[in-house]
Amino acid sequence: MFDKVLVANRGEIAVRVMRACAELGVDTVAVYSDADKHGGHVRYADEAYNVGPARAADSYLDGEAVVEAARAADADAIHPGYGFLAENADFAARVEAADGITWVGPASDAMERLGEKTHARRVMDDADVPIVPGTTEPVTEVDAVTEFGDEHGYPVAIKAEGGGGGRGMKVVESAAEAEEALESAKREGEAYFSNDSVYLERYLENPRHVEVQIVADAGEEGEGPDDESDVVHLGERDCSLQRRHQKVIEEGPSPALSDELREKIGEAARRGVAAADYTNAGTVEFLVEEDLDRDPSEPLGPDTPFYFLEVNTRIQVEHTVTEELTGIDIVKEQLRVASGEGLSVSQGDVELEGHAIEFRINAENAAKEFQPANEGRLDTYDPPGGIGVRVDDALRQGDELVTDYDSMIAKLIVWGGDREECLARSKRALAEYDLEGVVTVVPFHRLMLDDERFVAGTHTTKYLDEELDRDLVVEAQEKWGTESASSDDGDEEVTEREFTVEVNGKRFDVELEERGAPAIPTPVSGGSSGRQERPPQAKDDDGGDDGVDVAEGGEAIAAEMQGTILSVDVDEGDEVAAGDVVCVLEAMKMENDVVAERGGTVASVHVGEGDSVDMGDVLVVLE
């Protein structure tokens, strides 16, 4: 087993991995950005290293900085968690090439094979795993889309090769929509995954999202499973309750599957993973055709069509559901496989007991299209407890909400002897969850526990987006919700003083906070981290001492929400009319055109394609 593991992530998943390490007697190392210097994962780790400024691209996504932190800490393994660099095959290869450091995950070449969706479809097809009718090679021309639609019927899904979670996917309802959808999918693929390759699939009208958790041994030669016996499936999870292809509530086992269908899907996952020479933990996702006319008491039979969707080459947010059903610590199994010890379980050891549901406790307002909070502090934070209740979190009462990354505060996982008991226990646990100072989706979760379709287990992935009564969500928020409080509480001014000290050759950044002390002047120029700085922000003529001036009568076009720039459609010197699109901003899984209100000449452009922006950031200045 390893001596010290660096966790290349933040928040609850970093703490989750560190807890598994602690139980195995392994020391842990945290990495953190400037925004996370007081983060819960930093408090929990045995030691911590700063890897850059708040912007993810300059910190958590900086693979070189992460590996250098591992070297500095003398860590002998890196666990990526989920998100950030977890599915980045290039980063995995960088870790594999680093002397004395082991990658806790599948081999980089297996990640690359399964990360390219068309390649993954070919692998699964060869392994006799059903795939959705579609292309196994990328498409580049609109004619390919319309020809596919003519042959297989509309709607058609255009999907980015490196996509996931709905990013880079566009649904084409007719030939007239093909050109715009193709360009949009390619643009998102390039912005999010640095890969504008896309492929086509028949779009299923009434799908359920069912995924199988697997763990796979490296085989006798250490290069991948020798056969299916080296691959263990730990049952399935049903993630059909989604909003814009983002999972909201996950549960297991699926309330819709018969035992025969469950076994067919699980064995298909084992075959596909073995054929891909895949090791460590992963999730094989499937779409299952729901019968909207079936009696909820009659599960889907063994002849129900199901299709391979993709493989997530990492641990999933919802892995906790499987752990509650099986009693198997998936993170520990990851560490055992990576260290060469091998799996501690075989397929015959796996037994599913009871029912489990995971609720993502996100700082979002469901009544406002799940708008993420942009500030807040946990004035009160008192999570539920009791038998069958688990909370994975990293924040504590009094912590400020960090909004630079995802909106997750915690995960609530509830177990019961059967689904009925699990639903009742979930109602109790959510009612006990006491959070003040931050808006959350807890009211939405409480609503779902009384929702007829969800309780019956007949919902599909389209239910939230197309069928749920929005007024009920608003009413739930008014009944049970809280609002985000401003972090500006009117207290005396706090001055932060930073020092760098060296102890036994190791560098430490020491930060002191002084209340009521005068601010320390900060020089305009001086030392630099060497990382790219964000462009200066514009200001009005009468505001502040820094930034870029906006000439009288000019216009500063700012972001109305946090998101990612998909494209910049103007250059300096361009003439822009009122209503013209200056850039496209992706937020909450939607493309938003950012337009000029008055028009003029572009004086300066402050963002580029792929940049992350916060609400209020100036994007373009007109004169």
Side-chain angles (χ1 to χ4, degrees):
M1 182 49 67
F2 304 114
D3 293 319
K4 186 184 291 186
V5 172
L6 181 145
V7 183
N9 218 293
R10 64 179 297 276
E12 60 83 22
I13 186 57
V15 173
R16 163 70 189 93
V17 174
M18 291 173 188
R19 284 173 170 156
C21 290
E23 292 177 16
L24 292 172
V26 177
D27 291 339
T28 55
V29 182
V31 292
Y32 64 96
S33 70
D34 291 347
D36 270 337
K37 59 186 176 182
H38 300 305
H41 70 292
V42 177
R43 295 192 294 255
Y44 192 93
D46 294 305
E47 54 188 293
Y49 290 79
N50 184 294
V51 289
R55 188 168 179 260
D58 298 325
S59 51
Y60 294 112
L61 291 174
D62 186 339
E64 182 178 357
V66 171
V67 172
E68 285 303 314
R71 288 197 180 101
D74 198 24
D76 50 357
I78 292 178
H79 192 300
Y82 58 72
F84 293 128
L85 294 167
E87 290 186 280
N88 187 314
D90 290 339
F91 177 66
R94 181 195 291 268
V95 177
E96 290 168 345
D99 290 338
I101 304 177
T102 299
W103 169 251
V104 182
S108 58
D109 56 354
M111 292 176 66
E112 189 168 3
R113 282 195 299 273
L114 294 178
E116 294 178 357
K117 300 303 190 290
T118 52
H119 194 155
R121 284 167 56 83
R122 291 196 296 271
V123 170
M124 294 296 162
D125 195 27
D126 291 343
D128 198 28
V129 177
I131 63 173
V132 180
T135 60
T136 54
E137 298 292 340
V139 299
T140 57
E141 302 297 332
V142 68
D143 289 347
V145 181
T146 55
E147 289 171 5
F148 184 88
D150 292 340
E151 179 180 353
H152 296 280
Y154 290 95
V156 172
I158 304 177
K159 294 186 173 183
E161 278 262 42
R167 285 193 170 111
M169 187 182 88
K170 300 299 170 183
V171 178
V172 181
E173 299 286 351
S174 67
E177 299 178 5
E179 183 174 7
E180 182 178 350
L182 177 63
E183 291 306 313
S184 180
K186 291 171 66 177
R187 185 167 62 238
E188 284 193 18
E190 178 63 33
Y192 283 111
F193 314 107
S194 300
N195 181 356
D196 67 354
S197 294
V198 298
Y199 65 102
L200 308 177
E201 281 185 351
R202 181 167 67 86
Y203 186 67
L204 302 182
E205 293 286 6
N206 298 300
R208 296 189 72 93
H209 181 118
V210 175
E211 60 188 34
V212 178
Q213 176 69 59
I214 62 93
V215 285
D217 233 333
E220 292 186 3
E221 297 184 6
E223 296 182 356
D226 294 328
D227 53 40
E228 291 174 37
S229 66
D230 287 327
V231 181
V232 178
H233 82 76
L234 306 180
E236 89 283 356
R237 299 182 291 258
D238 194 310
C239 308
S240 300
L241 200 71
Q242 301 182 4
R243 176 185 173 273
R244 294 179 181 171
H245 307 288
Q246 287 291 293
K247 302 164 188 173
V248 180
I249 297 175
E250 304 98 343
E251 62 180 311
S254 170
L257 304 188
S258 63
D259 289 341
E260 297 85 356
L261 181 57
R262 175 172 294 113
E263 187 62 22
K264 285 182 66 174
I265 294 175
E267 289 305 312
R270 292 182 73 192
R271 285 197 308 275
V273 166
D277 290 331
Y278 184 94
T279 59
N280 215 280
T283 302
V284 187
E285 298 189 344
F286 295 91
L287 295 178
V288 180
E289 290 268 24
E290 176 63 277
D291 179 2
L292 297 182
D293 297 324
R294 73 177 174 90
D295 188 312
S297 64
E298 296 292 332
L300 298 169
D303 296 328
T304 301
F306 66 91
Y307 306 100
F308 167 76
L309 179 61
E310 64 183 2
V311 176
N312 291 122
T313 57
R314 53 173 169 79
I315 198 163
Q316 293 273 84
V317 176
E318 60 273 16
H319 74 279
T320 54
V321 170
T322 300
E323 291 181 330
E324 295 306 301
L325 294 175
T326 63
I328 296 171
D329 188 320
I330 297 172
V331 176
K332 286 183 181 178
E333 295 302 323
Q334 287 189 287
L335 294 166
R336 291 185 178 112
V337 171
S339 67
E341 291 185 6
L343 292 175
S344 68
V345 296
S346 64
Q347 193 62 58
D349 298 325
V350 179
E351 293 184 7
L352 303 182
E353 294 186 7
H355 198 91
I357 303 177
E358 177 182 273
F359 302 90
R360 301 188 184 201
I361 310 301
N362 294 340
E364 298 172 358
N365 189 336
K368 296 181 179 179
E369 294 295 320
F370 290 81
Q371 179 181 347
N374 58 19
E375 64 178 347
R377 179 181 57 212
L378 291 175
D379 296 328
T380 300
Y381 184 69
D382 188 8
I387 189 169
V389 175
R390 167 181 171 179
V391 177
D392 279 20
D393 58 16
L395 295 174
R396 293 294 178 263
Q397 185 164 298
D399 283 355
E400 297 283 348
L401 194 65
V402 175
T403 59
D404 298 78
Y405 313 108
D406 62 80
S407 61
M408 185 179 291
I409 296 173
K411 300 183 306 196
L412 170 65
I413 308 96
V414 181
W415 179 91
D418 55 28
R419 192 169 188 260
E420 184 178 4
E421 181 180 53
C422 188
L423 291 170
R425 185 168 287 160
S426 297
K427 284 187 178 183
R428 187 266 297 171
L430 285 165
E432 285 183 8
Y433 217 136
D434 191 5
L435 298 103
E436 295 289 343
V438 176
V439 67
T440 74
V441 294
V442 167
F444 169 81
H445 291 323
R446 297 180 71 175
L447 172 67
M448 286 298 98
L449 293 176
D450 285 321
D451 181 82
E452 183 177 346
R453 285 284 297 279
F454 178 72
V455 172
T458 58
H459 54 287
T460 70
T461 58
K462 298 182 177 182
Y463 177 61
L464 292 186
D465 291 330
E466 299 182 4
E467 300 179 51
L468 181 66
D469 186 346
R470 292 282 180 259
D471 290 340
L472 295 177
V473 180
V474 174
E475 291 171 8
Q477 187 66 35
E478 292 174 349
K479 182 177 181 181
W480 294 308
T482 60
E483 294 298 324
S484 290
S486 171
S487 58
D488 181 8
D489 56 9
D491 287 346
E492 58 191 336
E493 183 178 357
V494 176
T495 298
E496 293 187 356
R497 303 178 187 265
E498 299 183 356
F499 305 89
T500 299
V501 299
E502 192 172 289
V503 180
N504 295 330
K506 183 175 179 180
R507 176 186 169 118
F508 293 88
D509 292 324
V510 180
E511 299 171 353
L512 300 179
E513 292 185 353
E514 297 185 63
R515 297 183 178 273
I520 301 174
T522 302
V524 175
S525 61
S528 171
S529 66
R531 292 186 174 86
Q532 181 179 354
E533 300 293 334
R534 291 193 62 181
Q537 288 296 295
K539 67 174 183 64
D540 294 328
D541 281 343
D542 58 352
D545 297 323
D546 55 0
V548 177
D549 289 344
V550 179
E552 184 176 354
E555 177 183 357
I557 304 173
E560 295 184 354
M561 62 191 78
Q562 184 184 51
T564 300
I565 300 297
L566 293 182
S567 68
V568 178
D569 300 340
V570 296
D571 294 311
E572 290 186 15
D574 287 355
E575 294 295 327
V576 176
D580 282 356
V581 176
V582 298
C583 60
V584 178
L585 172 69
E586 189 275 346
M588 296 177 288
K589 306 302 176 191
M590 295 289 287
E591 289 190 15
N592 302 273
D593 290 337
V594 180
V595 301
E597 290 186 6
R598 296 195 297 270
T601 302
V602 177
S604 56
V605 178
H606 296 265
V607 290
E609 186 175 293
D611 283 356
S612 298
V613 297
D614 293 323
M615 183 171 65
D617 282 359
V618 173
L619 311 177
V620 175
V621 175
L622 306 182
E623 59 183 12

